[in-house]
Amino acid sequence: MNSNVVKSAVVMPRHQLSMQQFGDVFIEALPRHISALKIPGRVITGDQRKAAILAHVDHVSEMQLAMYEVLCHEATQQAQCWAEKSFDAFLTKELVDEGVLKFFNGWNETHKTTSLVSAKIIMRLAADAGAVSLHLQLLYNNVMAHMHEVAKDDFGLGHEGHDGMYEYMTTAFGASRWIERQYAVKACNDFSEFLYKVGVAENKSPLRSHEHKQSILVAMMTSVASELWNGREYNYVAQYIGEKLQAVNPLLRTDLKALRVAKGYVMGHSGEVENRPGLHALAAAQAYCRFADIEFDIGRLKEVMLDYNGRVGNAFRSMHDALSH
């Protein structure tokens, strides 16, 4: 299928809510979100169930202030601007052309934190579990349980069919060729390479070394940054994705099931879906600090979040360039 034959009506962004506004709403409600955060219960046998465990997150008010500072920082503001400009350029495209295919290729690269960071941390924690002292195993298990909550939906343990959702959406757009190498966007590939390096950093260092402990902590903080950014990003585009899909593919106007499947990738990550894993990553990071007897430094979390936002902003800037040429 040629990439330039799928034409649609223009969908004009109405800016119902900006990424900034979505961030404001979430951070304002942060104490409530954290108070409700828990590791779910688990059936052990037919008549026995392990109770849910409320998350233990310290310094909530300081965390709330830090997140506001990150949200309002120039680096985040610029990143959100480029993300919104990219989505706006995508929404107003009439043709599924090379720019759209590059956008889908690049967008996919920016959403690999689960596989490149969170999953690798889970693997590393699992591999190291046998070396954990008996008296620390309860704390360690708590870290792993929170990290499971970070990754489970993306790996299909909490959301059946998740792995195919991106393909369903791009196919509905007539853009299945996005995966071909010629549509790669260098800045986006650089971003996913950064994620990979965070996930594997110091994985061969001694378990009790400062380098090993800090690498695990920074990776968890990166997961926090990613999930909270994603919450704003997906919520922004969710306002328009259904209308855009119907403009591209008019058959979806009468096939509600197909429309639901096509927009499932975006809608399945909108609302509070991404924020919850972000808070589980935060709870995991604090629990890991208690286990490893190291300080949870809110200033360091801010640095990691701002670094992440700056990098993802550069990726969106390149996606915008691809859409504009």
Side-chain angles (χ1 to χ4, degrees), residues 19-202:
M19 289 179 66
Q20 179 74 23
Q21 288 171 308
F22 281 117
D24 285 335
V25 170
F26 168 72
I27 295 171
E28 184 177 355
L30 185 67
R32 174 172 57 82
H33 291 311
I34 289 178
S35 68
L37 190 69
K38 60 186 177 183
I39 299 169
R42 188 78 161 86
V43 174
I44 299 173
T45 64
D47 58 355
Q48 188 177 9
R49 181 181 180 88
K50 182 178 181 297
I53 302 173
L54 286 173
H56 177 184
V57 177
D58 292 323
H59 311 298
V60 176
S61 59
E62 292 94 330
M63 205 74 60
Q64 192 175 27
L65 177 60
M67 287 184 181
Y68 269 125
E69 291 174 351
V70 169
L71 184 65
C72 296
H73 193 280
E74 181 182 2
T76 304
Q77 296 290 302
Q78 289 182 347
Q80 291 178 160
C81 179
W82 283 117
E84 291 181 0
K85 283 184 175 180
S86 297
F87 289 125
D88 294 355
F90 163 68
L91 291 167
T92 54
K93 275 278 189 178
E94 291 188 86
L95 297 178
V96 178
D97 58 8
E98 181 179 347
V100 171
L101 296 175
K102 286 185 174 181
F103 169 78
F104 280 133
N105 192 302
W107 196 22
N108 181 65
E109 291 298 314
T110 67
H111 286 288
K112 291 188 174 181
T113 306
T114 299
S115 60
L116 298 182
V117 181
S118 301
K120 285 180 172 54
I121 293 305
I122 293 169
M123 292 168 63
R124 291 170 64 177
L125 291 172
D128 298 344
V132 176
S133 303
L134 285 175
H135 72 284
L136 290 174
Q137 283 184 357
L138 189 60
L139 256 179
Y140 199 78
N141 291 344
N142 188 268
V143 175
M144 294 188 69
H146 279 299
M147 287 306 301
H148 167 264
E149 293 302 309
V150 174
K152 70 174 186 181
D153 287 338
D154 287 335
F155 283 130
L157 290 174
H159 196 304
E160 185 179 356
H162 187 283
D163 288 349
M165 289 165 66
Y166 199 76
E167 180 181 350
Y168 298 149
M169 179 186 66
T170 56
T171 299
F173 274 106
S176 57
R177 292 181 59 203
W178 69 269
I179 200 168
E180 296 176 15
R181 184 172 297 180
Q182 69 261 34
Y183 300 119
V185 179
K186 183 182 183 302
C188 299
N189 284 5
D190 289 347
F191 180 77
S192 60
E193 177 67 17
F194 151 73
L195 293 176
Y196 174 78
K197 289 178 179 178
V198 170
V200 302
E202 301 293 342

